[in-house]
Structures are given as C-alpha cells and as structure tokens.
Amino acid sequence: MASPRLETFCCPNRDDATAFVVGFQPRFFNAICIGSAAVSLLLTILQIAPKRRSYRRLSQYPLQKPASSSRILFIVSLCDILGCLGILIRSTVWLGSPSFISKISVLNTTEVWPAAFCVGSSMWIQLFYSASFWWAFCYGIDVYLVVKRSAGLSTIVLYHMITWGLAVLLCVEGVAMLYYPTISSCENGLEHAVPHYITTYVPLLLVLLINPVLFGRTVATVTSLLKGRQGIYTENERRLGMEIKIKFFKIMLVFFICWLPNLINESILFYLEMQEDFKGSHLKNARNAALITWFIMGILNPMQGFLNTLAFYGWTGFNIDFSIQSSREIPWESASTSAVPADGYNPTMSSSLNYQGCTPDKKKGLSGNGYHRADTISVLSEDAASGFP
C-alpha cells in the first residue's frame, strides 16, 4: 500500500505510531499487499491491452486531433501500474527477507542496502501514485476546458510539465526533510515529518476536493451545449449527459473508496502521537481503528489501478489482440477516433456522435482548438463506452 508511514519506518528512530502499525503482523499484512497488488496489476494490464474489433475507420468524420483526455486516462493507468508494481516488489522483499528488513531498525549501522531499498521502494511508490493524482487533477481541468473549447493536443505538453515536475519536486523535498541530516540519524519529533506528509497528501486532496467541482461544472456545460444544438433536449441527448455524469461519479467513487482510509488512518495516528500515554487503555479503540484502516489500505490502495480502468472504460473483456499494430497508431489515439463496423453502426459510439441528429458537419461548428462542436462532447463519452482497442 501507499502511505508516508512506510518512508518514516525507514528511520531507525521512528515514532511510536509508525512502529505500532508497521510492526503489527507484518507477514500477514505484506501477504495481503502482495495478493491485492498482483490481482490489480494483472487486471489493469488486461483492461488496457489492445482488444480485437471488427470495425473499420470512418474516414468521413474523423476527429481533427486526438483527445488529450484520452491520453490522460491512459497515463493515469500507467502510473497506477508502476505504483502497484512498486508495492508488489517491496512487499515481496519484506515478506521473503525479514532479516534483511530488520537491519533498518539498527542505529548507526554500516549496512547500506536495507535502508537504500526501504527509501528507494517507498519513493518509487510515492512518486507514481502522486503523479497519478496530479494526472487525475489535470483530467478534471482538461474535460472542463474541452467543453469550453479552449483545450487542444498541445495542452498535453503542459500537463506533462506540471504533473511530473510537481510529483518529483514534492517527493524529493518531502523525503529530504524527513531524512535530515541522514537516514541513520533522523531527527526526533513530529515536526520534521509534517512536510513529508503534506507533500504526499496535497495532490490527493486536490483530486478529492476540486475534481468534483470541475466535473459538476463540466456536466452543467455539457447539458447547456446539448440543449443548444437543436433548441430541444431529446432523450438521446439526456442519455448522453447522464452517461457523462455517471462516468465522472464512478471516477470520484474509486478515489474515495481507495484513499479515504488513508486520510482516516493518518488522522488517527496523528491523534495517537499527540497523546502522552500511547499505550493507555483509554486509547484502545483508537489503536484498533488505526490497525483496521491500515489493513484496509493494504487491500484498496493497490486496487486503484484496476478500479480506475473500470471507471474509465468499463469491463473491456479478455479478447486481446496480439497482432502487431501500425507504428503510427497508438492506443489512446484509436480510442478517440471514430470507428464503425461494416454495416455503418457503431455500438460503442452510439452515445456520442452517431445518434440521430448529432452527426457533425465538417464545415460548421468548429471550435477554436480544431474540434467539432459534437466532438468536444463526444470525447467525454467515448472512453466510457469503449476501452482500448
């Protein structure tokens, strides 16, 4: 699982709350993490793997540019995969070599590799999950800009700079503050660890607090655009608006399910750290709650990757396409390009471009970024209706 407590555990003079949760049934806890991470990793890769389809390109109505929102969702899945892989490797080593990990607790030890693995694996996990949060935040911004017709393909470059720059900067800064002056002799007290916890949870809180607002504004704008197409709000348009709303709801539901236990656990542990008698009988319920949420985190945190793909694309099936694709076609572009079967009906696109009255006019309705007016809405629903090819 992903928690700043595991980076704090790399310090030999760790606080009592961290030693309490990390030291409780470590073999069972790491076994749970391995199982959850392995299942999530396999299913996430299966979800985003290219699938066989009998569609041919509809060259008459191509999107003018690949949707940046499709690229963002694919990158979020990649970050989840890499973060989950870090959890799997770390938990496997902790479970298979307890004597190797126990050397971390030795003060002023000459053993370098145990501490290096502890810090390196923890930073790997924090970096990619933090990047996943930043990309999810950018997705909320992007879908709002798309319907406002002020986002284009070039925006993805800016998103790369923001997400990776902030993820690396905050990760390095937090860890540097935590392990000052050295890993083997970290400063005692809660104050020096607070910046590390802040840098870890800031992107998560942004997604949990800001993205619902952005999604709500996007849905309101989409509803207004749909009503303005023909001056009426038809059943097909109402269905399309509801699909987009449900997709946003599922994305936020996954984040709350996977990461709310982390916030609850961290609040309880901070409360316990501020008590004079950490092991007092009056704090028994708080300690039990901390352990329960700790094990829930071990199950839900690695599952974010798979649950995210379900929220993004639904279940894409087992029909994997192992054929070699053209080098010019990348998965997220084909997920954002109109495709129909030979009979002219595309079930995966029926909720966006191909329902009656909403076929885009090639000469009218272009927005400032090169999208058709219908396309600016359809890019939000395409990924919900179809997974990666």
Side-chain angles (χ1 to χ4, degrees), residues 310-326:
L310 289 179
F312 296 159
Y313 319 111
W315 175 248
T316 61
F318 296 95
N319 196 17
I320 300 177
D321 185 6
F322 294 99
S323 62
I324 300 176
Q325 297 183 356
S326 171

Side-chain angles (χ1 to χ4, degrees), residues 149-165:
R149 304 167 193 165
S150 57
L153 182 61
S154 59
T155 313
I156 199 73
V157 178
L158 178 62
Y159 293 154
H160 274 290
M161 296 172 62
I162 293 175
T163 54
W164 295 114

